[in-house]
Amino acid sequence: ATLALQEEGPFGEGCSAVLSKIKRGVSDVRKAPDLLDKDVPPDPGAWEFLLRVASEKPTFAKQVWDTATVLLDSSGWAAALKPLERKERFNVTKAATRDAAMAAGLLARVLASGAAAELAEVLPAAVAVEADPAFCMAVLSVLQGPGLPPEIASVALGSEAGRALSERATASMEAKEKRQVIGGHGKQSFGKGDDIAVFVCEGIHGSHQKMDIKRGV
């Protein structure tokens, strides 16, 4: 916990060692979930460390999301996260396409556990409007899925951040559909006797350098 308050140099030097211990602890908790409440008391300082790592050390962000998802299974750990400011430091929009579902799942856990009262605490609208479309669709999927209480999902989807995610995902889908229409038939093969349209340039002439382009015979 004290490492979270260190200057950039000491923080960076000690970060990897602490994360290695956390990784082993998470593995143990997965094997025996009761250990979380019995042997790992809620610690706001630990949350500050994880938030700082996700924000300043994006290489380790995936481990932070995984760890946070496990910790939020505990009501005590969720309560320890709730009063902290700048939860957007989880940096979930930086998730690669392959990790979008994990980051979206963390958002859902933060909301479902009560650690955040609204989506914007973790995902501000100003950030959502520039999020990767794959991430936006992953978040919308979990918000509309059965794992989140309907009242929480409804508030999240209707928020400014939720609308921004929806608009971003919709725009991406529409652009994809347009590309499919333009190139709808893909590459075509032509035989010797097929009638292939050929266009020829007949030269440039006149004071305005007019070019005549006509369909060949």
Side-chain angles (χ1 to χ4, degrees), residues 80-102:
L81 174 62
K82 187 174 182 177
L84 299 186
E85 298 180 352
R86 298 177 57 222
K87 297 183 187 73
E88 72 274 9
R89 287 177 290 166
F90 274 123
N91 223 6
V92 288
T93 57
K94 297 302 181 182
T97 300
R98 65 180 180 277
D99 300 324
M102 174 188 287

Side-chain angles (χ1 to χ4, degrees), residues 55-72:
S55 177
E56 299 181 14
K57 306 290 182 182
T59 303
F60 299 109
K62 184 177 177 179
Q63 183 181 343
V64 170
W65 303 333
D66 184 51
T67 300
T69 300
V70 172
L71 293 177
L72 288 169

Side-chain angles (χ1 to χ4, degrees), residues 13-98:
E13 292 172 2
C15 191
S16 296
V18 174
L19 286 171
S20 294
K21 293 179 180 178
I22 290 175
K23 187 174 183 178
R24 290 194 295 271
V26 168
S27 178
D28 290 339
V29 168
R30 281 205 163 98
K31 296 173 184 175
D34 290 346
L35 290 176
L36 185 57
D37 289 320
K38 290 180 179 179
D39 299 338
V40 191
D43 182 2
W47 278 122
E48 283 289 356
F49 171 76
L50 292 171
L51 287 166
R52 185 174 177 183
V53 170
S55 177
E56 299 181 14
K57 306 290 182 182
T59 303
F60 299 109
K62 184 177 177 179
Q63 183 181 343
V64 170
W65 303 333
D66 184 51
T67 300
T69 300
V70 172
L71 293 177
L72 288 169
D73 282 336
S74 162
S75 59
W77 276 94
L81 174 62
K82 187 174 182 177
L84 299 186
E85 298 180 352
R86 298 177 57 222
K87 297 183 187 73
E88 72 274 9
R89 287 177 290 166
F90 274 123
N91 223 6
V92 288
T93 57
K94 297 302 181 182
T97 300
R98 65 180 180 277

Side-chain angles (χ1 to χ4, degrees), residues 141-157:
S141 178
V142 296
L143 292 180
Q144 296 168 350
L148 200 62
E151 61 275 15
I152 294 177
S154 178
V155 172
L157 289 167

